[in-house]
Amino acid sequence: MVSRSYTNLLDLASGNFPAMGQPRERKQLPRVMTVPGVISELDDDAASDVPSSVVQDRMIIVANQLPVKAKRGPDNKGWSFSWDEDSLLLHLKDGLPEDMEVLYVGSLRADVDLSEQDDVSQVLLDRFNCVPAFLPPDILSKFYHGFCKQHLWPLFHYMLPFSGNHGGRFDRSLWEAYVAANKIFSHKVIEVINPEEDYVWIHDYHLMVLPTFLRRRFNALRMGFFLHCPFPSSEIYRTLPVREEILKALLNSDLIGFHTFDYARHFLSCCSRMLGLEYQSKRGYIGMEYYGRTVGIKIMPVGIHMGQIESVLKLADKEWRVGELKRQFEGKTVLLGVDDMDIFKGVNLKLLAMEQLLKQHQKWRGRAVLVQITNPARRRGRDLEELQAEIQESCRRINETFGRPGYEPVVFIDRPVSLSEKAAYFTIAECVVVAAVRDGMNLTPYEYVVCRQGVSGSEPSAESSGPKKSMLVVSEFIGCSPSLSGAIRVNPWNIEATAEAMNEAISIADSEKQLRHEKHYRYVSTHDVAYWSRSFYQDMERTCKDHFIRRCWGIGLSFGFRVVALDCNFKKLNIDHIESAYIKSKKRAILLDYDGTVMPQTSINKTPSSEIISMINTLCSDVKNTVFVVSGRGRDSLGKWLAPCKKLGIASEHGYFVRWSADDDWEICGQSSDFGWIQIAEPVMKLYTEATDGSSIETKESALVWHHRDADPGFGAAQAKEMLDHLESVLANEPVAVKSGQFIVEVKPQGISKGSVAEKIFTSMAESGRQADFVLCIGDDRSDEDMFESIDNAIASGILNSSKSVFACTVGQKPSKAKYYLDDTADVISMLETLAEASDPSPSAGNSP
């Protein structure tokens, strides 16, 4: 039975939106092609990569909104379109290869009537290389103003919905609209994509489940995602009811980008705590193994478009506005704030800090002016109305308290300000203050630094002819803060400290301002938006370079869907093929793992059935066969469960104890039988067990194992790492190996592994003149990989002949050193039964050392 949380998602994933009231779907745009061809419609259930004809790589940029402005024509007829020169999406193509075509997919900031949508789509495609996604009004409202702005935006900025009036409770209908909107975007991408040639770059939190829809259709698609807002800590993110669905959807990307290491660290922590995934850092690149795919993690703050700002600085109206502002603020020291009207921008905290500055430092009364520019709000709600009222009250109070004729300490501008006017304010400001309590990036400080630098070759002025200088007071909670090492960083919640930082910024010596400005300008001018997009694209190329030489399978339903990527040589074991090789061979070695191979992992009763016992006995009765069960289980358990199999060889505790048949004694394969090291290791493990809730010690005859699967993931992993170092130190002179594994730290005698026992079996057979010409080795976990590796070593050393039949097989489709796989234990038993039927039982047969 499908769980309730997925019931609606399954409908949505198949294209059914019963609650959305979506109008009948129109015909799709034709797929963009560079040569003539015929493209058939793609149905929702198709799961293969459907190629179209293009001749070069292309970048498809997908975002909530297109970088295009739409305006109604005269008499409310027709439309006119123009590029949005302020759009990041438009600027990022400067970092892509010159010959790379860029196609945009997104929605328009305009309501286009259904009857006009086909014509508008064609115009945008022909003139702007844009493919619009038109969202029905009910989906748009629930998707953008609902789930995006009421749930994701507040949560990602650390605001929890403690009450229905602030933030709002989780509403599943809004989540369904979010999924439906992402699916509509996926249709638009699918209409124009060539999956074998195109790259897809998805932007921001509006489209976090889009990667699943695209990966489900095109398993080998080259796809990146960049999050432009903060990613919250796991303690905040885990409150989201659809937390795992979103994480799994993002992991269907090949590369996931964040502005700062903090955001990336929070995402990795969520993957670890909620999905059990760990990351690795290799040669400076962070990657996470996810079903055979390596999902790259990119940390790179976005930059500004230098060319755009420099061109604005050359405009005549900017120069005129600068002169006007200099006259207006003559004799004053201007501090500047430029923020959106949003509850997270800390505008009122900044005003309170300005008030504190004037209280504490009377010298600035009549001299210091805070100019606060607020852009129109992008969302709506009662909290915003309360914020606006609070800001207006603070401005009124400060101006009434400290103002005088000809002096207004706070100049509040709450209207849209053009880029040229904003540049004029930047030019005359002595300091820019950013007091956001949480912000993904915030490029205001970057723009300010460039404006203060000016443009070489422009007409000289008193301001531009002197040394360039600037000062920044920035919140430590914004994305650009780590890259601005010369800025004064503040905790905006600490009003007094922020006021002192503002005082320091405008009081500091000009020489210091100049040095800090030079440092910032060097960084900002070299790490622009082109640098950012170039770096992301190069990492996408590197991450995706093996896509089309690996075999991929899509598995799972709804947002549990993921792609398993495997080597091209990795294939399912063909029973007819192995049976044929089995019949032709004369001397066979058969090595079987127990848990997860002969017996299901989920089985509580590990005693084999009479059918399995009979099958094993039939295989052992063939004089040509040497059959072993190789397990990490203890010898007492295995000896009891497999007691009816008198001719079966058993290797227990990963090969420390070996018995060739029930009539033989157990051999100890360790290099030393001295277990004095247990007296050293056990107290250390007990110490960490007492300090780590959820951990435990397993005592074997030959080994000690510390388990932390049930401990806190982060703390357990940290304790395991610390214990590993501790044990390696105290056991440095003991004949043991200390190893860490999946939620374990194990101490065992040196030279003990399933690989070593496999080599022992192969060597013994060869030395007795029975070199194996058929090898079957089956296992399901990490320890069995040692057996698979030992086969290659045995072939390299001549113990096995490479021209003979060798079948190393893992259970389940997953990355492995084996060349074959079977799906589950049922497949394993079925295959072994086929071999048993092809066997030639002999009463004198049996394993021999």
Side-chain angles (χ1 to χ4, degrees), residues 452-477:
R452 291 290 285 182
Q453 179 71 18
V455 184
S456 58
S458 61
E459 292 185 14
S461 63
E463 183 73 24
S464 62
S465 58
K468 314 297 182 184
K469 59 185 187 296
S470 62
M471 281 302 297
L472 293 167
V473 175
V474 299
S475 165
E476 61 191 52
F477 302 120

Side-chain angles (χ1 to χ4, degrees), residues 546-551 553 565-571 819:
D546 296 332
H547 266 32
F548 299 110
I549 61 174
R550 306 186 75 183
R551 302 175 70 205
W553 285 269
L566 303 169
D567 188 271
C568 285
N569 296 321
F570 188 70
K571 53 189 176 183
K819 292 185 178 179

Side-chain angles (χ1 to χ4, degrees), residues 783-831:
S783 62
D784 299 308
E785 296 296 313
D786 292 334
M787 282 200 295
F788 305 147
E789 188 175 11
S790 72
I791 293 175
D792 294 332
N793 295 336
I795 292 174
S797 60
I799 298 173
L800 293 177
N801 192 322
S802 61
S803 63
K804 304 304 180 183
S805 300
V806 176
F807 300 91
C809 178
T810 189
V811 181
Q813 297 180 28
K814 58 181 181 289
S816 173
K817 294 174 182 175
K819 292 185 178 179
Y820 299 94
Y821 74 90
L822 289 170
D823 288 325
D824 48 34
T825 55
D827 273 2
V828 173
I829 298 303
S830 176
M831 183 270 297

Side-chain angles (χ1 to χ4, degrees), residues 475-686:
S475 165
E476 61 191 52
F477 302 120
I478 64 176
C480 67
S481 177
S483 61
L484 297 170
S485 55
I488 302 175
R489 299 191 182 99
V490 296
N491 172 5
W493 298 103
N494 189 334
I495 304 299
E496 292 78 9
T498 303
E500 288 304 315
M502 293 164 65
N503 174 60
E504 180 185 354
I506 55 181
S507 302
I508 204 168
D510 285 354
S511 58
E512 180 68 18
K513 293 179 182 179
Q514 182 182 349
L515 290 173
R516 294 185 186 222
H517 170 81
E518 289 173 354
K519 186 176 188 179
H520 289 155
Y521 183 74
R522 280 195 302 271
Y523 177 85
V524 173
S525 60
T526 55
H527 293 72
D528 61 356
V529 66
Y531 177 89
W532 168 76
S533 62
R534 185 183 309 113
S535 179
F536 192 88
Y537 169 68
Q538 289 171 348
D539 273 20
M540 272 224 302
E541 277 191 313
R542 177 185 53 78
T543 305
C544 302
K545 67 181 187 306
D546 296 332
H547 266 32
F548 299 110
I549 61 174
R550 306 186 75 183
R551 302 175 70 205
C552 297
W553 285 269
I555 59 175
L557 293 172
S558 190
F559 289 105
F561 178 86
R562 65 271 188 198
V563 166
V564 177
L566 303 169
D567 188 271
C568 285
N569 296 321
F570 188 70
K571 53 189 176 183
K572 187 167 184 176
L573 185 60
N574 184 286
I575 293 182
D576 292 337
H577 175 53
I578 192 173
E579 181 184 15
S580 174
Y582 180 85
I583 293 172
K584 294 177 183 177
S585 57
K586 303 299 182 184
K587 299 175 181 64
R588 311 177 187 122
I590 301 175
L591 279 62
L592 306 173
D593 175 40
Y594 192 72
D595 291 280
T597 302
V598 175
M599 293 296 295
Q601 282 281 15
T602 55
S603 175
I604 298 176
N605 181 7
K606 297 295 183 180
T607 303
S609 66
S610 58
E611 289 80 5
I612 292 177
I613 293 293
S614 174
M615 175 196 67
I616 292 176
N617 279 331
T618 302
L619 290 171
C620 292
S621 298
D622 192 324
V623 70
K624 300 176 183 178
N625 294 347
T626 298
V627 185
F628 262 83
V629 167
V630 184
S631 173
R633 291 274 186 179
R635 57 177 173 173
D636 292 341
S637 298
L638 291 173
K640 176 183 176 181
W641 293 333
L642 299 170
C645 304
K646 302 298 182 181
K647 300 171 184 177
L648 174 69
I650 299 176
S652 69
E653 296 193 19
H654 299 289
Y656 185 82
F657 297 108
V658 176
R659 187 180 75 181
W660 288 82
S661 71
D663 297 330
D664 296 318
D665 295 328
W666 287 98
E667 301 176 18
I668 296 177
C669 298
Q671 299 173 1
S672 171
S673 58
D674 179 13
F675 287 93
W677 57 266
I678 291 180
Q679 308 305 318
I680 303 173
E682 193 169 33
V684 174
M685 285 193 172
K686 285 183 177 178

Side-chain angles (χ1 to χ4, degrees), residues 133-416:
F134 298 107
L135 302 181
D138 52 345
I139 291 183
L140 175 61
S141 177
K142 290 184 176 181
F143 156 65
Y144 185 74
H145 296 293
F147 194 74
C148 288
K149 290 302 182 182
Q150 288 183 26
H151 290 316
L152 291 181
W153 181 257
L155 185 78
F156 279 30
H157 289 75
Y158 290 73
M159 180 180 174
L160 293 174
F162 289 116
S163 70
N165 294 330
H166 291 277
R169 302 298 189 197
F170 179 79
D171 184 340
R172 187 159 294 276
S173 70
L174 302 185
W175 162 244
E176 291 173 357
Y178 183 83
V179 173
N182 275 248
K183 187 170 179 64
I184 292 172
F185 277 86
S186 75
H187 285 324
K188 293 302 176 181
V189 175
I190 291 169
E191 287 175 3
V192 295
I193 197 171
N194 179 348
E196 294 181 357
E197 300 291 342
D198 294 344
Y199 289 87
V200 176
W201 187 355
I202 303 168
H203 290 265
D204 222 3
Y205 66 99
H206 314 88
L207 302 174
M208 288 195 293
V209 300
L210 178 58
T212 286
F213 288 116
L214 295 180
R215 184 68 68 193
R216 185 180 177 206
R217 182 64 64 89
F218 308 113
N219 290 345
L221 182 64
R222 298 176 291 187
M223 178 164 49
F225 179 93
F226 198 95
L227 185 67
H228 292 273
C229 68
F231 195 94
S233 73
S234 61
E235 295 305 309
I236 297 293
Y237 180 79
R238 70 196 303 179
T239 64
L240 186 63
V242 289
R243 59 192 188 182
E244 291 187 11
E245 289 90 328
I246 289 177
L247 285 182
K248 290 175 180 178
L250 288 175
L251 289 171
N252 276 317
S253 304
D254 297 300
L255 183 66
I256 305 173
F258 302 91
H259 286 307
T260 73
F261 174 69
D262 273 351
Y263 304 160
R265 178 169 56 85
H266 294 158
F267 174 77
L268 294 170
S269 175
C270 289
C271 290
S272 172
R273 289 175 174 270
M274 296 167 208
L275 303 180
L277 303 176
E278 299 299 330
Y279 73 92
Q280 291 182 327
S281 182
K282 295 181 179 178
R283 297 184 178 180
Y285 297 109
I286 299 175
M288 192 159 35
E289 288 296 318
Y290 188 59
Y291 292 94
R293 296 170 49 244
T294 299
V295 180
I297 303 298
K298 177 71 172 175
I299 302 167
M300 175 63 69
V302 71
I304 59 175
H305 192 271
M306 292 291 293
Q308 182 194 25
I309 294 181
E310 289 177 346
S311 64
V312 168
L313 292 176
K314 296 177 182 178
L315 294 177
D317 60 340
K318 175 262 176 185
E319 292 296 333
W320 172 83
R321 186 64 173 139
V322 167
E324 188 180 62
L325 292 176
K326 284 181 178 179
R327 289 189 294 273
Q328 180 181 346
F329 297 109
E330 186 176 1
K332 307 292 190 299
T333 298
V334 176
L335 296 97
L336 178 65
V338 181
D339 303 277
D340 292 337
M341 178 57 73
D342 191 277
I343 58 176
F344 303 111
K345 299 303 182 181
V347 174
N348 198 51
L349 294 176
K350 189 188 310 181
L351 294 172
L352 295 177
M354 181 64 182
E355 185 176 30
Q356 183 68 20
L357 170 69
L358 297 175
K359 286 180 181 178
Q360 293 295 112
H361 301 277
Q362 297 186 17
K363 64 178 180 179
W364 293 115
R365 296 181 185 179
R367 294 173 54 200
V369 176
L370 173 63
V371 177
Q372 177 60 50
I373 299 173
T374 53
N375 303 315
R378 300 184 187 180
R379 54 188 292 266
R380 56 198 181 199
R382 198 174 72 179
D383 52 354
L384 271 176
E385 295 173 2
E386 293 173 353
L387 174 67
Q388 288 173 320
E390 186 179 349
I391 289 173
Q392 290 169 358
E393 171 58 25
S394 295
C395 292
R396 184 195 61 76
R397 184 182 65 252
I398 296 171
N399 286 335
E400 285 185 0
T401 303
F402 300 102
R404 63 182 69 161
Y407 171 64
E408 194 177 32
V410 175
V411 177
F412 186 68
I413 303 172
D414 61 347
R415 57 174 172 79

Side-chain angles (χ1 to χ4, degrees), residues 84-132:
D84 181 359
E85 298 295 340
D86 295 333
S87 174
L88 171 69
L89 305 180
L90 186 62
H91 298 155
L92 67 79
K93 66 181 181 181
D94 290 354
L96 303 177
E98 290 185 6
D99 59 346
M100 174 174 272
E101 181 185 1
V102 177
L103 187 70
Y104 297 98
V105 176
S107 62
L108 278 173
R109 298 185 189 90
D111 294 327
V112 180
D113 188 80
L114 184 64
S115 62
E116 299 177 293
Q117 289 179 5
D118 281 342
D119 292 337
V120 167
S121 297
Q122 196 61 53
V123 169
L124 289 174
L125 183 62
D126 293 343
R127 292 177 48 197
F128 296 90
N129 248 21
C130 289
V131 178

